[in-house]
Amino acid sequence: MGRGAAVPYVEYEAEDGRHNGTLLRADAKRTFGHTNFATESSGRESVRLDSTGQYVEFTSTTPTNSIVVRNSIPDGPNGGGQEKTLSLYADGTFVRKLTLSSKHSWLYGTTDDPEGLTNRPGGDARRLFDEAHALLTETYPAGTTFRLQRDSGDDAAFYIIDLIDLEQVAPPAAKPQECASITAYGAVPNDGIDDADAIQRAVTADQKGEIPCVWIPAGQWRQEKKILTDDPQNRGQHNQVGIRDVTVRGAGMWHSQLYSLTPPHEAGGINHPHEGNFGFDIDHNTTISDIAIFGSGTIRGGDGGHEGGVALNGRFGKGTRISDVWIEHANVGAWVGRDYSNIPELWGPGDGVEFTGVRIRNTYADGVNFANGTRNSTVHNSSFRNTGDDALAVWASKYVKDTSVDIGHDNHFRNNTVQLPWRANGIAVYGGYGNTIENNLISDTMNYPGIMLATDHDPLPFSGQTLIAGNGLYRTGGAFWGEAQKFGAITLFAQGHDIPGVTIRDTDIHDSTYDGIQFKTGGGATPGVQIENVTIDKSVNGAGILAMGGARGSATLTDVTITDSAEGDVVKEPGSQFVFHGSAN
């Protein structure tokens, strides 16, 4: 089985294309948080266009009728972003002006606390990139040369191009005969008027069994209230009852697009700002497929609690399937699980939840988080880019009905592609048992590990087995918390409870910013770790495998190859009680 997601697009790095701009390249420590464009770039390189006539161009290897451009343009003078154009050419012929925006990028402040950042310009900045996308009016064959060029009228102070995605998007799917369109309930596409009430009426009709499924046709549909179940009892401070037994289908993620323009903290109404005014609150047995959900968030929670909202949240329950959904500009893509204290009589964990073909981009916190006792659930064949916290996480949190039973377990992250988390990990597991991280590709974490197992965030303990297998990690790890803590590509951090039963195998770790595998100082131990058939090449500022001075536990090395480490192959810091069995190379 291959690594990563089988994505429908081909990605092209700006630095690998032809250009007459300025190549930006990260420093050796990939310093983050000080307006470091190259650190936040895929491959740690990008191209800057400063003057008219400068360009980046790429030759396509497959037919394409769409483009995504990962870019950075300056913030607005007083914050809030701005829109600027950039010119697209195909084989020398002008195609169209692309609209690039900085509305959702540029967070300021020196703190590493996400709640301490601000949208107000001043000093150091981070989260510098965002993405623009366009569906083109024709298909261009393989071998087409696409050029992004700064022409007259393209008047941003600068343009930084990191990468493009080229994709052949299928035509809009036809409405299944059995489904009822949201237009029958009053929704009107592309008119800029809020369609949330019409969408809610259609979903409620499905939930009541009046229709078999809800159809969202091709079009832009404005949504300024989350879709949920009205609670006549008004239990709790906010209505937090999700939908159940509902099917929502669209014409394709490029075609059927829900969007919000009102920042969640300004939306008022029935939802808590933390959960936002867009997307769906799901309690049980819900299928959502082939749509996009574009939020309006610009920050995680600083500046007076201005949160970005959650696209998919709720108890999730059993039978819930999310497939081919594109989520962007949310605080969190999907938060699976509610606290037991939130309407206890409705509590139930996510069980057997599946995410497939999901595309999550440019969030302010997690991509998908399996919390509150979620079990037997999977994220498969999905892609994540520029998440502001863990792209994928299992958090065996304590806010459950019975902490002896409701432990996050047997969740699986398989064949996903994770790129450029601008804060925290590529993939993380906090507690639980039977959880696996398999056959993923993870690259370019800004400051944290590619993969982390940890007992911070006060989870229920690890037990049984946790498997990390078949993964490829490239340019991961980094320095955070005042640049005082340096994290490995794979880090085990027993902050409190022990982390037993870990196997790391069949994994390639390349070009780590610090250590390849790191056992971090904490109050607990990591006993009996098995490291098998692992290759660690080029730990730029660290060791191949490091046990820190306060690390406790043991690891057995079998068929481990380590090359080109700055600070040694297998290293124990002075004072470490950690025991290594076997050796590398």
Side-chain angles (χ1 to χ4, degrees), residues 272-426:
H272 191 291
H274 179 75
E275 296 181 349
N277 52 313
F278 57 90
F280 297 82
D281 191 325
I282 299 168
D283 267 5
H284 181 70
N285 190 35
T286 291
T287 297
I288 299 176
S289 61
D290 297 295
I291 65 170
I293 303 170
F294 295 148
S296 54
T298 61
I299 199 165
R300 175 160 171 168
D303 283 350
H306 295 178
E307 303 234 21
V310 183
L312 301 172
N313 60 273
R315 297 170 183 86
F316 277 74
K318 295 184 178 181
T320 294
R321 306 285 185 271
I322 310 298
S323 61
D324 300 299
V325 173
W326 182 353
I327 296 170
E328 197 153 350
H329 299 144
N331 197 40
V332 173
W335 189 274
V336 180
R338 279 206 187 281
D339 296 359
Y340 174 68
S341 61
N342 184 301
I343 316 181
E345 61 268 31
L346 295 180
W347 189 81
D351 190 346
V353 178
E354 291 185 9
F355 289 82
T356 306
V358 172
R359 187 179 302 189
I360 294 181
R361 303 283 186 268
N362 306 308
T363 64
Y364 301 92
D366 304 64
V368 176
N369 193 311
F370 286 158
N372 298 86
T374 299
R375 73 275 317 253
N376 306 313
S377 296
T378 304
V379 181
H380 172 257
N381 200 41
S382 296
S383 65
F384 302 80
R385 192 157 63 212
N386 208 38
T387 57
D389 213 305
D390 302 332
L392 290 164
V394 173
W395 182 27
S397 45
K398 293 180 175 179
Y399 313 118
V400 293
K401 183 175 182 179
D402 183 345
T403 55
S404 67
V405 174
D406 297 319
I407 300 168
H409 68 85
D410 293 294
N411 299 298
H412 308 291
F413 300 136
R414 294 184 176 128
N415 285 94
N416 302 293
T417 297
V418 175
Q419 300 169 282
L420 294 152
W422 64 267
R423 187 180 181 279
N425 306 281

Side-chain angles (χ1 to χ4, degrees), residues 57-60 89-95 140-147:
E57 67 180 20
F58 315 81
T59 300
S60 65
Y89 291 80
D91 288 337
T93 299
F94 177 77
V95 175
Y140 295 88
T144 299
T145 296
F146 289 96
R147 175 179 287 201

Side-chain angles (χ1 to χ4, degrees), residues 53-287:
Q54 289 190 319
Y55 65 86
V56 183
E57 67 180 20
F58 315 81
T59 300
S60 65
T61 58
T62 57
T64 187
N65 61 358
S66 70
I67 187 170
V68 174
V69 183
R70 186 169 194 264
N71 71 89
S72 182
I73 63 172
D75 197 359
N78 301 308
Q82 59 182 332
E83 289 187 346
K84 294 291 182 180
T85 59
L86 187 63
S87 300
L88 174 66
Y89 291 80
D91 288 337
T93 299
F94 177 77
V95 175
R96 58 171 289 173
K97 294 280 192 182
L98 301 175
T99 300
L100 278 51
S101 172
S102 55
K103 176 181 178 181
H104 300 280
S105 47
W106 294 93
L107 295 177
Y108 301 89
T110 56
T111 178
D112 292 326
D113 174 5
E115 312 297 333
L117 299 173
T118 173
N119 289 132
R120 297 186 300 273
D124 287 334
R126 66 192 75 191
R127 205 235 180 269
L128 304 170
F129 285 83
D130 203 62
E131 297 180 17
H133 59 266
L135 195 57
L136 307 177
T137 56
E138 62 182 278
T139 292
Y140 295 88
T144 299
T145 296
F146 289 96
R147 175 179 287 201
L148 297 171
Q149 180 166 292
R150 181 172 182 159
D151 284 351
S152 176
D154 301 335
D155 59 357
F158 60 79
Y159 297 81
I160 297 173
I161 308 302
D162 181 27
L163 58 82
I164 68 168
D165 295 333
L166 298 178
E167 175 180 356
Q168 181 64 27
V169 178
K175 183 180 84 67
Q177 186 173 359
E178 69 273 18
C179 292
S181 173
I182 59 173
T183 57
Y185 292 85
V188 178
N190 311 316
D191 67 350
I193 297 173
D194 189 4
D195 295 302
D197 288 342
I199 299 168
Q200 181 69 69
R201 286 191 290 270
V203 168
T204 299
D206 188 2
Q207 186 163 314
K208 289 179 176 179
E210 296 169 2
I211 58 174
C213 57
V214 175
W215 175 250
I216 301 181
Q220 301 285 317
W221 310 90
R222 187 171 177 184
Q223 179 196 358
E224 301 292 1
K225 284 191 288 191
K226 190 177 291 287
I227 304 306
L228 39 66
T229 298
D230 187 36
D231 180 15
Q233 301 176 58
N234 291 320
R235 289 167 287 186
Q237 182 183 3
H238 301 275
N239 183 314
Q240 293 178 329
V241 182
I243 59 177
R244 55 177 53 232
D245 305 318
V246 168
T247 297
V248 177
R249 299 177 63 177
M253 63 167 67
W254 277 90
H255 301 294
S256 300
Q257 299 187 338
L258 307 178
Y259 72 96
S260 166
L261 296 179
T262 306
H265 64 276
E266 296 178 6
I270 204 166
N271 286 120
H272 191 291
H274 179 75
E275 296 181 349
N277 52 313
F278 57 90
F280 297 82
D281 191 325
I282 299 168
D283 267 5
H284 181 70
N285 190 35
T286 291
T287 297

